[in-house]
Amino acid sequence: MYSSSLAALVLAALAAGAAPAPQPAHELTITVRDLGAADGVYRLSCGPAGGDHPDAAGACAALEAADAPFAPLAEGTLCTRVYGGPATARVEGVWRGETVAADFSRTDGCQIARWDALVPALPAAGDHS
């Protein structure tokens, strides 16, 4: 009886076929503008790292390390008046099971720090002041 049950389980497993490949846990599209050579649209998946992002593993690590990588600045935050250049980025997709639509710029000290905290998910901008 035991061997027939085992045989039935093996046949059922074979009939089901191979398990599908795991799907990435996070799927993002990152659009960068006005930064020069780094301008473009990048696809990034994490868990496992992939897509056409130039440093997918590093980008995933930076995003995973951040507590709330796509949260906007808290209202009333005081920021230095430092201009970091015209670069903008938009990140859209799914992160940690939540829909993401976040905009980034380098228009003041807070926005520069927010951007730089996500490098290399967002390209390093250098000094544009």
Side-chain angles (χ1 to χ4, degrees):
M1 173 155 35
Y2 174 73
S3 63
S4 64
S5 296
L6 180 58
L9 287 173
V10 170
L11 288 174
L14 291 173
Q23 294 298 310
H26 315 293
E27 293 277 349
L28 300 171
T29 299
I30 301 169
T31 304
V32 179
R33 291 196 169 92
D34 298 323
L35 193 58
D39 285 3
V41 178
Y42 305 98
R43 307 243 181 306
L44 175 67
S45 57
C46 299
D52 62 4
H53 191 283
D55 183 3
C60 291
L63 293 170
E64 288 286 353
D67 287 331
F70 307 112
L73 290 176
E75 194 157 328
T77 301
L78 298 177
C79 303
T80 60
R81 297 184 80 187
V82 175
Y83 182 66
T88 62
R90 177 145 180 96
V91 180
E92 297 177 291
V94 176
W95 184 259
R96 296 181 180 155
E98 300 292 325
T99 299
V100 171
D103 294 305
F104 294 84
S105 69
R106 300 185 59 79
T107 56
D108 61 40
C110 294
Q111 295 295 344
I112 293 168
R114 188 170 168 250
W115 180 300
D116 289 350
L118 297 185
V119 170
L122 299 179
D127 185 10
H128 293 279
S129 51

